[in-house]
Amino acid sequence: MQEELDKRRPGRTPLDTPRKERDKVYIFSGVMEDDITTGTPVGLIIPNDVIEDEHINKHKSYKEVIRPGQAGYTFFKKYGQFADNIGAGRASGRETAARVAGGAVAKAVLDTMGIDVIAFITEIHGIKAQDNITYEMAKANYRKNDINCPDLEKAKEMIEELQRIKEQGDSVGGVVEIIARGVPAGLGEPVFDKLQATLAHALMSIGAIKGIEFGAGFGHTKLKGSESNDVPYYDEASGRVRFKTNRAGGILGGISNGEDIRIRVAVKPTPTISIPQGTVNMYTCENVKVEFNTRNDPSICPRIYPVCEAMVRIALLDALYVAKGYRAISSNIDPRWDLL
Ligand SMILES: Cc1cc2nc3c(=O)[nH]c(=O)nc-3n(C[C@H](O)[C@H](O)[C@H](O)COP(=O)(O)O)c2cc1C
């Protein structure tokens, strides 16, 4: 858990927010001294131990004004004067520490089944890594630079761009790609809980993610059927049906087909920037101009990929539970088709 949390922790690299949170996880239930779970729910606490008055007072001083791109206005409409105003509460990226800790538990289970989930950055502010980064390349170059981009040359350009943007007090977005390898065919439900629907739910629930694609995604709109279809073949080596291409991104009919699950998510620029912007004072209904000078990241991308890994692991483990449970009670399925 701590290893996973350390990937997301702020203040790790010069590109991150200057906040230095330790993100130390304390386990208070469900695990014995020998690191074995007891079956009781695993209870965790991750204290927010960098809470200086200066930081809180700065947030308080902005409490009446809408921070453009932030959740302040919509939280105000929903919770009124009770909305958290000393760091944005549940709209803060801080909330994602709990997701990463939970994802580490899912990882421990998935590891035993040979299912590996890896996320990495392929684009920052329009600077793109090479096309079709393979699982092997992503694995070999995992976290070799501060932004976890497996294209090591392009990563240098991306880092330079982030440094430039940081100096301007501005921020940029980018693309995170996720590959899940070793997922057996047969995960996912056929109608409402299609695997792409539950994965999208998991990923789109992370703040700042504004788009998602599976496989060729929006690229399918430019292809003919003959170009979009992945051609199946029988693979002697693995003894299973495989596909010559993977434009489906590993899911057909809402159910995994045994190929890599490939997902791309769009991450918007960090909303809080140190540049004056027009806004509204919600209490006085005045149009005002404010510079929100708090601590923030020039891009969320370098800190969001571990959160993406965690959410995909959690969604896949949920799908595995359902699929295994279904198989356990459908004993009349011919075992030859049973790939789980
Ligand atoms: C890991 C992570 C870190 C974030 N850090 C910041 C930050 O430093 N400053 C900021 O304004 N928003 C940050 N956000 C984004 C906001 O949480 C998010 O954009 C905001 O709540 C509005 O929600 P929406 O963009 O999903 O609509 C972060 C999000 C994540 C997932």
Short mmCIF file of all heavy atoms in Angstrom, two decimals, residues 8 19 69-71 91-93 96 206-208 210 268 270-272 295-297 300 303-304, ligand 1:
data_model
loop_
_atom_site.label_atom_id
_atom_site.label_comp_id
_atom_site.label_asym_id
_atom_site.label_seq_id
_atom_site.Cartn_x
_atom_site.Cartn_y
_atom_site.Cartn_z
N ARG A 8 1.72 8.41 -5.79
CA ARG A 8 0.74 9.50 -5.92
C ARG A 8 1.08 10.70 -5.05
O ARG A 8 0.60 11.81 -5.26
CB ARG A 8 -0.64 8.95 -5.51
CG ARG A 8 -1.83 9.80 -5.88
CD ARG A 8 -2.93 9.71 -4.81
NE ARG A 8 -2.49 10.34 -3.59
CZ ARG A 8 -2.85 11.56 -3.22
NH1 ARG A 8 -3.69 12.25 -3.93
NH2 ARG A 8 -2.37 12.09 -2.10
N ARG A 19 3.36 21.11 -1.88
CA ARG A 19 2.87 20.46 -0.66
C ARG A 19 3.68 19.20 -0.41
O ARG A 19 3.84 18.39 -1.31
CB ARG A 19 1.41 20.03 -0.83
CG ARG A 19 0.41 21.12 -0.82
CD ARG A 19 -0.99 20.54 -0.69
NE ARG A 19 -1.27 19.48 -1.64
CZ ARG A 19 -1.82 19.67 -2.84
NH1 ARG A 19 -2.12 20.88 -3.24
NH2 ARG A 19 -2.07 18.66 -3.64
N GLY A 69 -13.06 26.33 -12.92
CA GLY A 69 -12.60 24.95 -13.16
C GLY A 69 -12.69 24.06 -11.95
O GLY A 69 -12.49 22.85 -12.05
N GLN A 70 -12.98 24.64 -10.76
CA GLN A 70 -13.05 23.86 -9.53
C GLN A 70 -14.50 23.53 -9.21
O GLN A 70 -15.42 24.03 -9.85
CB GLN A 70 -12.42 24.64 -8.37
CG GLN A 70 -10.96 24.29 -8.11
CD GLN A 70 -10.84 22.93 -7.42
OE1 GLN A 70 -11.80 22.20 -7.28
NE2 GLN A 70 -9.63 22.59 -7.00
N ALA A 71 -14.68 22.73 -8.16
CA ALA A 71 -16.02 22.26 -7.82
C ALA A 71 -16.74 23.20 -6.84
O ALA A 71 -17.85 22.90 -6.42
CB ALA A 71 -15.92 20.86 -7.22
N ALA A 91 -13.75 17.27 -3.25
CA ALA A 91 -13.38 17.59 -4.64
C ALA A 91 -11.87 17.66 -4.78
O ALA A 91 -11.34 17.84 -5.87
CB ALA A 91 -14.00 18.91 -5.06
N SER A 92 -11.15 17.53 -3.66
CA SER A 92 -9.69 17.66 -3.70
C SER A 92 -9.05 16.35 -4.18
O SER A 92 -9.56 15.26 -3.91
CB SER A 92 -9.18 17.99 -2.31
OG SER A 92 -7.80 17.74 -2.24
N GLY A 93 -7.91 16.48 -4.85
CA GLY A 93 -7.16 15.31 -5.28
C GLY A 93 -6.76 14.45 -4.09
O GLY A 93 -6.45 13.27 -4.25
N THR A 96 -8.11 10.97 -3.48
CA THR A 96 -7.67 9.83 -4.28
C THR A 96 -6.64 8.96 -3.55
O THR A 96 -6.34 7.85 -4.01
CB THR A 96 -7.12 10.27 -5.65
OG1 THR A 96 -5.99 11.14 -5.44
CG2 THR A 96 -8.16 10.99 -6.47
N ILE A 206 -12.91 9.79 -11.04
CA ILE A 206 -11.70 10.49 -10.56
C ILE A 206 -11.80 11.94 -11.02
O ILE A 206 -12.10 12.20 -12.19
CB ILE A 206 -10.42 9.84 -11.15
CG1 ILE A 206 -10.36 8.34 -10.84
CG2 ILE A 206 -9.18 10.55 -10.61
CD1 ILE A 206 -9.23 7.60 -11.58
N GLY A 207 -11.54 12.88 -10.12
CA GLY A 207 -11.59 14.30 -10.48
C GLY A 207 -10.65 14.61 -11.64
O GLY A 207 -9.60 13.96 -11.79
N ALA A 208 -11.04 15.54 -12.49
CA ALA A 208 -10.22 16.06 -13.59
C ALA A 208 -10.17 15.17 -14.82
O ALA A 208 -9.55 15.53 -15.81
CB ALA A 208 -8.80 16.41 -13.13
N LYS A 210 -11.90 13.86 -18.05
CA LYS A 210 -13.00 14.39 -18.85
C LYS A 210 -13.31 13.56 -20.09
O LYS A 210 -14.22 13.91 -20.86
CB LYS A 210 -12.70 15.84 -19.29
CG LYS A 210 -12.50 16.82 -18.15
CD LYS A 210 -13.70 16.88 -17.22
CE LYS A 210 -14.73 17.89 -17.65
NZ LYS A 210 -15.82 18.00 -16.64
N LYS A 268 -7.86 16.94 -17.64
CA LYS A 268 -7.90 18.39 -17.92
C LYS A 268 -6.79 19.11 -17.16
O LYS A 268 -6.20 18.54 -16.22
CB LYS A 268 -9.28 18.95 -17.55
CG LYS A 268 -9.52 19.20 -16.07
CD LYS A 268 -10.91 19.80 -15.86
CE LYS A 268 -11.05 20.42 -14.49
NZ LYS A 268 -12.39 20.98 -14.26
N THR A 270 -4.90 21.39 -14.44
CA THR A 270 -5.20 21.67 -13.02
C THR A 270 -6.01 22.97 -12.96
O THR A 270 -5.55 24.00 -13.48
CB THR A 270 -3.89 21.87 -12.23
OG1 THR A 270 -2.93 20.92 -12.67
CG2 THR A 270 -4.11 21.76 -10.74
N PRO A 271 -7.17 22.96 -12.35
CA PRO A 271 -8.00 24.19 -12.35
C PRO A 271 -7.33 25.38 -11.65
O PRO A 271 -7.38 26.51 -12.15
CB PRO A 271 -9.27 23.79 -11.60
CG PRO A 271 -9.29 22.30 -11.59
CD PRO A 271 -7.88 21.82 -11.76
N THR A 272 -6.71 25.15 -10.48
CA THR A 272 -6.14 26.28 -9.74
C THR A 272 -4.86 26.73 -10.41
O THR A 272 -3.92 25.95 -10.54
CB THR A 272 -5.85 25.87 -8.28
OG1 THR A 272 -7.04 25.31 -7.74
CG2 THR A 272 -5.45 27.08 -7.45
N ARG A 295 -1.24 26.28 -3.48
CA ARG A 295 -0.25 25.32 -3.98
C ARG A 295 -0.92 24.35 -4.94
O ARG A 295 -1.95 23.78 -4.61
CB ARG A 295 0.35 24.56 -2.79
CG ARG A 295 0.95 25.49 -1.77
CD ARG A 295 1.25 24.80 -0.47
NE ARG A 295 0.07 24.27 0.18
CZ ARG A 295 0.08 23.67 1.36
NH1 ARG A 295 1.21 23.51 2.00
NH2 ARG A 295 -1.02 23.21 1.89
N ASN A 296 -0.36 24.18 -6.09
CA ASN A 296 -0.98 23.23 -7.03
C ASN A 296 0.03 22.69 -8.04
O ASN A 296 1.15 23.17 -8.15
CB ASN A 296 -2.15 23.90 -7.76
CG ASN A 296 -1.70 25.08 -8.56
OD1 ASN A 296 -1.44 26.14 -8.01
ND2 ASN A 296 -1.59 24.92 -9.86
N ASP A 297 -0.40 21.66 -8.77
CA ASP A 297 0.47 21.01 -9.75
C ASP A 297 0.31 21.66 -11.12
O ASP A 297 -0.81 21.95 -11.52
CB ASP A 297 0.05 19.54 -9.92
CG ASP A 297 0.01 18.77 -8.61
OD1 ASP A 297 1.03 18.23 -8.22
OD2 ASP A 297 -1.08 18.70 -7.99
N ILE A 300 -1.88 17.56 -13.54
CA ILE A 300 -2.30 16.49 -12.63
C ILE A 300 -1.78 15.14 -13.14
O ILE A 300 -1.67 14.18 -12.38
CB ILE A 300 -3.84 16.50 -12.51
CG1 ILE A 300 -4.30 17.79 -11.84
CG2 ILE A 300 -4.36 15.32 -11.71
CD1 ILE A 300 -5.79 18.05 -11.97
N ARG A 303 0.53 12.70 -11.30
CA ARG A 303 0.05 12.14 -10.03
C ARG A 303 -1.22 11.31 -10.18
O ARG A 303 -1.63 10.62 -9.25
CB ARG A 303 -0.18 13.27 -9.02
CG ARG A 303 1.14 13.95 -8.64
CD ARG A 303 0.96 14.92 -7.50
NE ARG A 303 0.21 14.34 -6.43
CZ ARG A 303 -0.80 14.96 -5.82
NH1 ARG A 303 -1.13 16.18 -6.16
NH2 ARG A 303 -1.44 14.36 -4.84
N ILE A 304 -1.84 11.39 -11.35
CA ILE A 304 -3.14 10.72 -11.49
C ILE A 304 -3.00 9.28 -11.98
O ILE A 304 -3.89 8.46 -11.77
CB ILE A 304 -4.08 11.55 -12.41
CG1 ILE A 304 -5.54 11.37 -11.98
CG2 ILE A 304 -3.91 11.20 -13.88
CD1 ILE A 304 -6.50 12.32 -12.66
C1 LIG B 1 -4.45 13.40 -8.04
C2 LIG B 1 -5.19 14.70 -8.24
C3 LIG B 1 -4.60 15.90 -7.87
C4 LIG B 1 -5.27 17.12 -8.05
N1 LIG B 1 -4.65 18.29 -7.67
C5 LIG B 1 -5.29 19.47 -7.86
C6 LIG B 1 -4.68 20.70 -7.48
O1 LIG B 1 -3.56 20.73 -6.97
N2 LIG B 1 -5.36 21.86 -7.72
C7 LIG B 1 -6.61 21.87 -8.31
O2 LIG B 1 -7.19 22.93 -8.51
N3 LIG B 1 -7.22 20.71 -8.68
C8 LIG B 1 -6.61 19.52 -8.46
N4 LIG B 1 -7.24 18.36 -8.83
C9 LIG B 1 -8.46 18.44 -9.65
C10 LIG B 1 -9.72 18.71 -8.94
O3 LIG B 1 -9.90 17.76 -7.92
C11 LIG B 1 -10.90 18.68 -9.94
O4 LIG B 1 -10.55 19.20 -11.17
C12 LIG B 1 -12.04 19.47 -9.39
O5 LIG B 1 -12.54 18.82 -8.27
C13 LIG B 1 -13.20 19.67 -10.41
O6 LIG B 1 -13.71 18.43 -10.80
P1 LIG B 1 -13.77 17.98 -12.34
O7 LIG B 1 -12.54 18.55 -12.97
O8 LIG B 1 -13.76 16.48 -12.29
O9 LIG B 1 -15.03 18.55 -12.90
C14 LIG B 1 -6.58 17.14 -8.63
C15 LIG B 1 -7.19 15.91 -8.99
C16 LIG B 1 -6.50 14.70 -8.82
C17 LIG B 1 -7.19 13.43 -9.22
#
